[in-house]
Structures are given as C-alpha cells and as structure tokens.
Amino acid sequence: MKKLAVIGAFLWPHFGFAFEPALPVATVQLADKTTADMTYALPVGVAENDQVPTLKLRGQVEQQSWRIDEGGTSPRAVMETLRTQVVEQGYEIMLDCPAQTCGGFGFRYAIDVLTPPDMFVDLAHFHFLSATKGEGEDRKGLAILTSRTALAGMVQITEITSGGVATSDRESSQTETVRPVQRPAPETAQTTDLISELQTSGHAVLEDLVFETGASALGEAEFASLTLLATWLRANPEIRVALVGHTDNTGAAETNLAVSQGRADAVLQRLTDTLEVPAAQLEARGLGYFAPVTSNKTPQGRDLNRRVEVVVVSTP
C-alpha cells in the first residue's frame, strides 16, 4: 500500500522514484502500471507535419493516473502546480505546451496515453510537459499529461528511471520523430467505454456516427454506440440524457444550428423507433459550431467537430 502524506491542500505520494508529485487532496488514483525494462519515446517537441520529435530512453517505466474530484479544476492550473515541483526536484523541462500549441489532435494521438477509464483526454483542453534529469546511463525522463472531463480533472504521469539492461545497441538519448497513430475506424472506436465514460464524466461522444458537412440524415448501419446506449437506457429507466448535435464551422451560423439540431433529432428517432428507448428518457438539442472540441483549420479537426454527444441530465 503506497503511503500518502497530507501537506497543506495537497497529497504527497511517496513512490520511491525520482519524481514525487503533490496533487490536490480530492484525488483518486486510477492506475499504476510498471514495466521493468523498456525503451520509451519521450515527446520533446510539438507536432509538425504529422510528426512528433521524441527522445528515446531505456529503463523502468511507471505510468500512473489520477482523477481530481474538484469542480472547475483546469488542466492549466494542475500543470502549473506540477511544473513548479518538476523544477524544484531538479528536472530540465524539454516541452511544455497546451493542446493547440502541442499540435492538438495530431499530438494527442502520437503520445502514449492510458485507455479509459484510467485516463480521459479532452482534445481541446489538455496540457503536456516532458522533462529529463541526469546524464548518460542515469538519465531519467518524465511525461505529465493533464486534462479534464465534465466533472473532474485528469492527470497521467509517466516516469522512466534508470535500471534497464544495457546492450551494445542501446538507444538511450537518441532522438527521432514519430507519426501520430490513426484514430480508430468508426466500427471499432466505440466499446463499453462509452457507458463507463457516461458514468464517470457525465458525457460522451458517439464516435461511430459519421456526418458529412451540411448533412443531418443518419445512415442505415447498426451503430454500436447506439446499441450500447439503448441497452443502458432501457436497463436504467430513471436516467435521462440529452443528445447534443455539433457541426464544423463551414457555412452560416443559422444553417449550422439547423443541421446540428437535425443530427440530434435523427439520433433520437433511431433510439426511439428502432432501439425502443422510451422518448421520455431523451431530448435533442443543436449547438451548431459554437462548442468545438478542436480547431476547424484541418480536415481532421472538422471531422472531430461534426459529432453528436450524449449528456446525462438526470440520474437517480
């Protein structure tokens, strides 16, 4: 059992490694995973031309994540506290950037992130920091990612410490660039994590619904996300959700508001008519392009912004 000491408004976890983070008191640890010997690509530069520069370090890798149960805790505020600790503990910062400066979608999908429910990342609201300490065989690496859900702050810390088996072709301290991984295909992107995210954060995107610019009709496919959502709602008749449609920024505001409302209405109709969800558990709203999750400057960004989100509005 790991020891926790209260210092003012923070918890100080004693893990026996180089970096010891102090986190807010209302913090719940979600994951603690250790690999004894591996090569880790530590991001040290922002995403440019679909590439992220990395520093390859070898050693023991520990990944931990926490949920901060404090309303309004922002990724920037949490990172400001952690950044101070990083400097005080003798690390040299290699990269320190908010979502859009890092590279947004491209950067997020190039870095190593724990899967939900251990870590949730808001593509428009995250902050990343990497740092190193020491030289040669004793060089240590640190990667910190802060983000948020609708109800809580999220923190992931990855630490690479010395202790790996040295070999003649050791790749420590070599730099390279990596390309962002592709977003999962629509038919595989949504799993039971949808329900976990709804229960944890109170909202989730129906990721396997695809809407072209200006279109609101829903295809005839059996979307896995809707099947999961319908099963959950039928099993929990006391829960009500809002289906919120969103668009990219192509076209006039009035047109996009109408399109987003049409998308939300189309999902509601599929849930009631085909999947037998009581209409009393659903409502539909359209927000147009007024609540993007990322920049509309790229095709990838516009694709992410064309979405229907589920928001839990009533629970037992």
Side-chain angles (χ1 to χ4, degrees):
M1 189 75 178
K2 288 180 177 176
K3 184 179 177 184
L4 295 176
V6 178
I7 300 181
F10 296 91
L11 287 176
W12 193 286
H14 295 276
F15 299 119
F17 291 116
F19 181 67
E20 297 183 351
L23 296 169
V25 173
T27 299
V28 177
Q29 186 164 24
L30 302 176
D32 185 358
K33 301 178 181 180
T34 301
T35 303
D37 179 32
M38 68 174 288
T39 298
Y40 188 87
L42 181 71
V44 294
V46 301
E48 293 183 2
N49 300 320
D50 290 333
Q51 294 186 328
V52 174
T54 65
L55 177 68
K56 298 182 75 174
L57 298 174
R58 190 171 185 83
Q60 176 168 286
V61 176
E62 181 168 16
Q63 288 186 303
Q64 301 171 79
S65 65
W66 295 267
R67 185 182 71 247
I68 303 172
D69 294 325
E70 291 184 349
T73 301
S74 71
R76 183 179 68 176
V78 176
M79 185 61 79
E80 286 176 354
T81 300
L82 291 170
R83 182 189 302 111
T84 299
Q85 299 168 47
V86 168
V87 174
E88 289 177 346
Q89 295 184 42
Y91 285 85
E92 177 185 359
I93 294 177
M94 307 295 289
L95 178 63
D96 184 358
C97 54
Q100 294 307 312
T101 304
C102 283
F105 174 93
F107 184 86
R108 154 64 184 91
Y109 283 98
I111 64 176
D112 186 16
V113 179
L114 294 167
T115 58
D118 292 336
M119 186 64 186
F120 292 100
V121 180
D122 183 328
L123 287 174
H125 298 91
F126 69 82
H127 202 114
F128 181 85
L129 181 148
S130 65
T132 61
K133 181 179 183 180
E135 299 293 338
E137 297 293 318
D138 294 326
R139 193 171 193 183
K140 303 172 179 64
L142 190 65
I144 303 177
L145 177 64
T146 60
S147 189
R148 71 180 191 186
T149 69
L151 302 177
M154 301 295 298
V155 180
Q156 174 183 305
I157 297 179
T158 301
E159 186 170 20
I160 310 96
T161 57
S162 60
V165 178
T167 62
S168 58
D169 61 348
R170 175 185 289 270
E171 296 174 303
S172 296
S173 301
Q174 295 181 4
T175 59
E176 65 170 19
T177 55
V178 295
R179 293 183 178 275
V181 298
Q182 297 299 311
R183 190 180 185 184
E187 63 270 20
T188 61
Q190 204 85 27
T191 67
T192 52
D193 286 342
L194 169 69
I195 306 307
S196 176
E197 189 168 357
L198 286 172
Q199 293 172 326
T200 303
S201 67
H203 71 109
V205 176
L206 300 170
E207 294 181 350
D208 57 349
L209 307 184
V210 179
F211 296 98
E212 297 299 329
T213 299
S216 59
L218 191 61
E220 297 300 322
E222 293 184 5
F223 299 104
S225 64
L226 296 186
T227 301
L228 285 168
L229 179 61
T231 300
W232 183 61
L233 289 172
R234 291 196 305 267
N236 298 276
E238 71 282 4
I239 293 177
R240 293 181 59 250
V241 300
L243 304 163
V244 185
H246 303 269
T247 66
D248 60 30
N249 67 346
T250 304
E254 294 79 4
T255 300
N256 279 286
L257 284 169
V259 169
S260 63
Q261 183 67 53
R263 291 174 179 171
D265 289 338
V267 174
L268 186 150
Q269 185 175 358
R270 177 67 59 86
L271 287 168
T272 55
D273 293 357
T274 304
L275 297 173
E276 300 180 344
V277 175
Q281 288 183 261
L282 304 168
E283 62 180 275
R285 295 288 184 268
L287 293 184
Y289 54 54
F290 294 106
V293 294
T294 189
S295 171
N296 281 296
K297 292 181 179 180
T298 66
Q300 288 178 326
R302 291 190 291 274
D303 179 62
L304 287 174
N305 289 330
R306 294 192 297 267
R307 70 199 190 278
V308 172
E309 190 171 12
V310 184
V311 179
V312 177
V313 296
S314 178
T315 57

